[in-house]
Amino acid sequence: MAGRARQLNLAVGAGSAAAAVVLALTLGTLGAVAWRAESAARLGPSDWAAVRFTLLQATLSALISVALAIPVARALARRRFAGRGVLITLLGAPFILPVIVAVLGLLAVFGRAGLLSQFLGRFGLPPVQIYGLHGVVLAHVFFNLPLATRLILQGWLAIPAERFRLAASLGFSERDVGRELERPMLREVLPGAFAVIFAICTTSFAVVLALGGGPRATTVELAIYQAFRFDFDLGRAAGLALVQFAIGAAAAGLALRFQVPQATGGGLDRVAGRPEADSPGRRIADTAWISLAAAFLLLPLGMIVLRGAPALFGMPPAVLAAALRSVLVALSSTVLALALALPLAFAMWHLRGRRLAGWLEALGYLPVAASPLVIGTGLFILFHPVVDPVALALPVTVVVNATMSLPFALRALVPAVARVEGRFGPLADSLGMHGQARLRHLHWPRLRRPIGFSAGLAAALSMGDLGVIALFADPEQATLPLQLYRLMAAYRMEDAAGAGLLLLVLAVALFWLFDRGGRVNADT
Amino acid sequence: MLTLEGLTVRQGGFELRADFSVRAGAMTAVIGPSGAGKSTLLSAIAGFIRPSAGRVLWQGEDLGPLLPGERPATVIFQDNNLFPHLSAFSNVALGLRPSLKLGPAEGAAVEAALARVGLAGLEGRKPAALSGGQQSRVALARVLVRARPLLLLDEPFAALGPALRAEMLDLVAELARDTQATVLMVTHDPADAEQVAEQVTFVDGGQALAPVPTGQLLAEPPEALRAYLGQRKTRP
């Protein structure tokens, strides 16, 4: 069985190499941070305030997202209307939406000069204030209400239609259906949805950078950035990075303890007949919830397009240069993400059932708990004695972005590899298809859809990322999200609007191109 | 001659033993209750499962060191015999060249094989555009181009209706005669065995018994086989 052993060794070897890279980037950089933090001054009261604010905003964001998602998901579960499918697809869009672009859109609606303030002004009311805790929570709800809605909708649609039919035949009222069918489902789904959103919000950086700040609205992530960038207090940055990792790991651990329903979008198009909810009042309420949620999502996006379109042509050269840089960073980090994810996925398949496979899988999901700023701080500590960190700004961004998208790539690729090898592996073995032949005639044709999807996600996430780049870059090396943030900070809102639309278009286009490329002419 | 020499295969808590030979060119049915280990036996011969003891020999040569693709065998599985993203032509051609780089003579051989099983003109179709029977024929065309001396069939026609299945079995018998192949065919239906197999090996209780002529076995079934067939002591 020499050939099989060779094949196994190759897959396991490549997978182990990928695992070593991920390990070095997550736990290795953390080790560097811990080593540096040893000599650090102890954390002061402002740092503990940052910890409290991190937990407070994450709790509020998760609670409000989930609470609002319940009526929206219920309305989507029991109503059929034109555009329902499109709306549910759009609920997945915030995932690839650059955070800083969303903030720009939210400012256009909820900011001092935004639509809402203008509307209030007509009645002589003062404009609304978006900066601070409620601005941070608003932006987090904007991103996570759709996610919560998808997760909860999945739970609703997992209740067999026959149960609702049985309830109808027994003459259940809406209250009876709620007690017997819906509340038990919610009790199962809600903790998981809450935990996931809480975890996401503890590591959020760009939102807090743009809308938070000051002594009363600084998260740990933002405090790391400030200690690093403004005070150049590496010891304090390292101490904060350790705190951040502890919070991230605890939040991810919490999320893993609950069964998180998969929001893959499959089967979201079924609607069970629900006579108990057929009264005009119920219909109006559901319509209102769906319209409000849709408006909340679409208005900011619409404002980006509306305000950005006039400025799209005639953008400053610095913006165009940043855009080019960002596309190159996104493409490189996409290649790297796949170069890590594919060997890991194949190694997991070859080692299936063994303990090592479990370790590889755990390692692949480690970046969920890691924070880009912690990785960035660690890399800086490791490299600044030898190289000028500014020169490494873009390569480090490529590497960190690839690592951060690894869990999402694995989530698509690991089951796909298992499916393909499980179904067609024996046939390919019996025909002697190894190496090149297996790659070309089995793996590529059957894996190109998940590969395209993963690549699209990695590219869009990297394109829109505003994280580690903010630590390192000087003005000559800004990526488009960083450039956009600088324009916003300088109140050059017209240029910002153009840059925001450009960033949105590029992120969506990259996702679409890769995802589409995987689908075209692919036989399932 | 195919020889199973003190063969023991362990899978989970399950164990199967076999110790017998099959004459070259014979057509042998493998029957027995589901879960008895019929497919396990075939998997061991095909090289998918490594035996925990004993050897599989073909014409005196130990097949142990050979990968599934290197063994002198063609396997037809219960399902997933065709790659859905490849045409009928490519699916057959893979049996000759896993790289799909064919010379002109090989291309002609693939077309001839498809014509032989009655699929002339359908070379370009993908499996989704073929009926269940036609898909089985593509897999059988691959048997022809591979021309390996052993043919292992793991209930490949179980999803077909009775008439179509009988037709496919006849085609298998013809192809086996043409290529002088030694055939082992797993089935749960004694009628299949009666139709084409000259001998039957009965698998039950962790043991694959030495083959017995089909007519003799079905006329006087041993106790375990009678229980499996669920019929009266003697056949009418």
Side-chain angles (χ1 to χ4, degrees):
Chain A
M1 306 244 160
R4 178 176 298 175
R6 204 165 49 235
Q7 204 190 334
L8 183 91
N9 285 340
L10 192 69
V12 173
S16 307
V21 172
V22 178
L23 197 66
L25 279 170
T26 48
L27 297 186
T29 51
L30 187 70
V33 164
W35 165 68
R36 191 66 177 70
E38 225 178 13
S39 61
R42 298 183 57 192
L43 299 181
S46 69
D47 299 322
W48 291 114
V51 172
R52 277 196 301 276
F53 181 76
T54 302
L55 299 177
L56 174 68
Q57 60 83 15
T59 309
L60 283 177
S61 304
L63 270 181
I64 296 173
S65 299
V66 169
L68 292 178
I70 295 172
V72 179
R74 181 172 60 186
L76 283 172
R78 63 188 186 189
R79 300 294 164 207
R80 212 189 291 261
F81 54 92
R84 182 176 175 276
V86 177
L87 186 59
I88 290 175
T89 307
L90 272 178
L91 290 178
F95 196 77
I96 57 166
L97 179 66
V99 175
I100 194 69
V101 173
V103 169
L104 187 66
L106 288 169
L107 281 173
V109 177
F110 298 101
R112 277 189 74 84
L115 293 181
L116 184 62
S117 293
Q118 285 171 18
F119 180 74
L120 292 174
R122 285 200 198 162
F123 304 97
L125 293 166
V128 286
Q129 184 55 262
I130 193 173
Y131 294 96
L133 174 64
H134 54 280
V136 170
V137 172
L138 177 78
H140 282 164
V141 171
F142 175 81
F143 270 97
N144 292 304
L145 173 62
L147 173 65
T149 304
R150 280 171 73 104
L151 291 173
I152 297 171
L153 181 58
Q154 200 94 29
W156 237 292
L157 297 178
I159 302 176
E162 292 80 7
R163 300 249 174 96
F164 286 111
R165 219 163 52 199
L166 178 64
S169 78
L170 294 173
F172 273 25
S173 67
E174 191 180 28
R175 181 192 295 254
D176 300 325
V177 168
R179 189 188 59 243
E180 298 300 330
L181 298 179
E182 299 178 325
R183 250 172 280 156
M185 176 280 292
L186 288 174
R187 265 197 296 277
E188 268 181 44
V189 172
L190 293 187
F194 175 88
V196 165
I197 294 169
F198 179 83
I200 292 172
C201 292
T202 56
T203 56
S204 148
F205 171 70
V207 162
V208 193
L209 177 70
L211 295 176
R216 301 181 57 189
T218 296
T219 58
V220 179
E221 288 271 89
L222 189 60
I224 297 174
Y225 168 75
Q226 286 164 350
F228 196 100
R229 191 88 193 172
F230 301 146
D231 312 332
F232 203 70
D233 185 347
L234 266 187
R236 194 165 145 251
L240 284 164
L242 283 184
V243 172
Q244 174 61 42
F245 186 84
I247 295 176
L254 185 74
L256 284 177
R257 278 197 46 196
F258 295 107
Q259 198 62 42
V260 176
Q262 287 221 9
T264 47
L268 289 178
D269 49 347
R270 291 174 299 112
V271 176
R274 302 281 296 278
E276 90 284 353
D278 228 10
S279 71
R282 290 284 150 237
R283 242 180 279 161
I284 290 168
D286 282 353
T287 309
W289 276 113
I290 292 171
S291 313
L292 277 176
F296 180 52
L297 288 180
L298 294 178
L299 264 184
L301 292 180
M303 290 304 285
I304 292 164
V305 176
L306 221 62
R307 296 224 170 134
L312 200 53
F313 303 96
M315 259 182 295
V319 170
L320 295 176
L324 180 65
R325 223 171 278 131
S326 268
V327 170
L328 292 178
V329 164
L331 293 177
S332 315
S333 112
T334 303
V335 171
L336 183 59
L338 288 179
L340 292 172
L342 281 169
L344 272 173
F346 275 104
M348 278 181 223
W349 165 255
H350 280 282
L351 295 169
R352 65 193 176 280
R354 297 192 213 170
R355 186 174 293 170
L356 190 56
W359 282 108
L360 285 184
E361 184 163 18
L363 194 65
Y365 291 107
L366 200 56
V368 173
S371 118
L373 289 203
V374 175
I375 298 179
T377 311
L379 288 175
F380 182 88
I381 289 168
L382 286 174
F383 283 117
H384 90 281
V386 259
V387 217
D388 174 18
V390 174
L392 289 178
L394 293 180
V396 163
T397 305
V398 166
V399 170
V400 171
N401 287 349
T403 312
M404 298 316 284
S405 54
L406 184 59
F408 305 108
L410 285 178
R411 208 160 154 165
L413 288 173
V414 170
V417 167
R419 222 166 22 241
V420 169
E421 279 292 335
R423 248 183 96 184
F424 298 107
L427 176 59
D429 283 343
S430 83
L431 295 173
M433 291 166 70
H434 303 294
Q436 273 269 324
R438 203 178 184 100
L439 210 63
R440 279 191 49 193
H441 302 307
L442 176 59
H443 293 149
W444 173 242
R446 301 219 67 79
L447 288 175
R448 46 185 276 197
R449 285 180 77 146
I451 287 176
F453 178 72
S454 310
L457 279 188
L461 286 179
S462 179
M463 186 73 210
D465 174 73
L466 175 55
V468 71
I469 185 71
L471 278 186
F472 290 136
D474 62 7
E476 275 76 60
Q477 290 190 323
T479 57
L480 188 52
L482 184 60
Q483 188 67 33
L484 172 55
Y485 169 67
R486 286 180 178 158
L487 290 172
M488 286 162 70
Y491 293 104
R492 288 169 58 189
M493 294 318 270
E494 218 166 286
D495 286 339
L501 181 57
L502 179 62
L503 179 52
L504 177 65
V505 168
L506 286 175
V508 172
L510 279 176
F511 175 78
W512 186 83
L513 277 177
F514 279 114
D515 187 48
R516 187 81 199 141
R519 282 166 195 266
V520 164
N521 293 327
D523 296 274
T524 42
Chain B
M1 190 163 69
L2 174 72
T3 309
L4 309 178
E5 193 184 82
L7 188 69
T8 307
V9 187
R10 248 180 233 117
Q11 249 196 334
F14 171 82
E15 192 180 88
L16 178 76
R17 288 178 311 279
D19 190 32
F20 58 83
S21 298
V22 175
R23 178 180 63 76
M27 180 118 171
T28 311
V30 181
I31 68 173
S34 52
K38 304 186 293 288
S39 297
T40 307
L41 181 68
L42 244 62
S43 292
I45 298 170
F48 292 111
I49 309 175
R50 202 190 295 246
S52 52
R55 299 192 297 171
V56 178
L57 303 124
W58 172 248
Q59 309 292 37
E61 186 205 355
D62 181 8
L63 300 187
L66 300 182
L67 283 172
E70 297 163 352
R71 299 199 171 196
T74 299
V75 191
I76 301 192
F77 303 94
Q78 263 184 38
D79 40 30
N80 297 323
N81 284 298
L82 305 181
F83 292 111
H85 51 275
L86 294 178
S87 66
F89 182 91
S90 295
N91 264 297
V92 174
L94 277 177
L96 275 181
R97 296 268 168 216
S99 63
L100 282 183
K101 289 178 187 130
L102 303 187
E106 289 167 323
V110 170
E111 290 197 356
L114 279 165
R116 170 71 182 81
V117 297
L119 292 181
L122 301 183
E123 293 88 352
R125 293 233 190 138
K126 290 187 177 174
L130 296 169
S131 71
Q134 289 171 329
Q135 292 178 14
S136 299
R137 287 172 190 270
V138 175
L140 290 175
R142 184 154 66 208
V143 171
L144 273 180
V145 297
R146 279 170 73 77
R148 304 258 170 132
L150 265 173
L151 175 56
L152 308 171
L153 304 159
D154 190 0
E155 294 199 60
F157 313 125
L160 303 179
L164 204 49
R165 190 166 69 178
E167 200 182 313
M168 286 301 146
L169 285 175
D170 282 337
L171 185 54
V172 166
E174 271 176 49
L175 299 184
R177 252 196 321 275
D178 291 0
T179 56
Q180 298 182 323
T182 307
V183 183
L184 256 73
M185 177 182 79
V186 170
T187 174
H188 60 265
D189 188 349
D192 289 356
E194 275 183 307
Q195 187 187 337
V196 289
E198 57 194 84
Q199 55 180 12
V200 174
T201 172
F202 180 58
V203 182
D204 190 32
Q207 182 92 33
L209 301 171
V212 177
T214 309
Q216 184 191 329
L217 187 80
L218 294 179
E220 300 163 27
E223 189 57 43
L225 179 56
R226 217 163 33 232
Y228 166 63
L229 296 173
Q231 61 193 18
R232 283 163 292 142
K233 248 182 177 163
T234 49
R235 286 165 68 84

